[in-house]
Amino acid sequence: MPTHLDALETRAPAEREAALLAALPDLITHAKQAGGFWAGQLADVDPSTVTTRAALARLPVL
């Protein structure tokens, strides 16, 4: 069976990681705006600062 992967799946690892890290601030902002549990758990997180693996590692495990 042939494998059909789109361009996002075949990116270089560094390119994929950069794109995922660039998307994190918007994802965290969305989670905070959703309210409830997520807003409470991420209340002290400034989404604009979460753009590296190290910053991601400092977030609470949810």
Side-chain angles (χ1 to χ4, degrees):
M1 177 189 307
T3 302
H4 300 283
L5 299 175
D6 68 25
L8 292 177
E9 296 298 327
T10 59
R11 293 178 289 181
E15 184 182 347
R16 182 175 37 253
E17 181 174 340
L20 291 170
L21 290 172
L24 274 174
D26 287 340
L27 292 170
I28 295 167
T29 297
H30 177 75
K32 289 179 74 161
Q33 291 172 347
F37 174 80
W38 299 110
Q41 294 298 308
L42 298 169
D44 295 331
V45 175
D46 176 358
S48 69
T49 66
V50 186
T51 58
T52 65
R53 281 184 181 227
L56 178 61
R58 288 191 294 271
L59 293 182
V61 177
L62 306 172

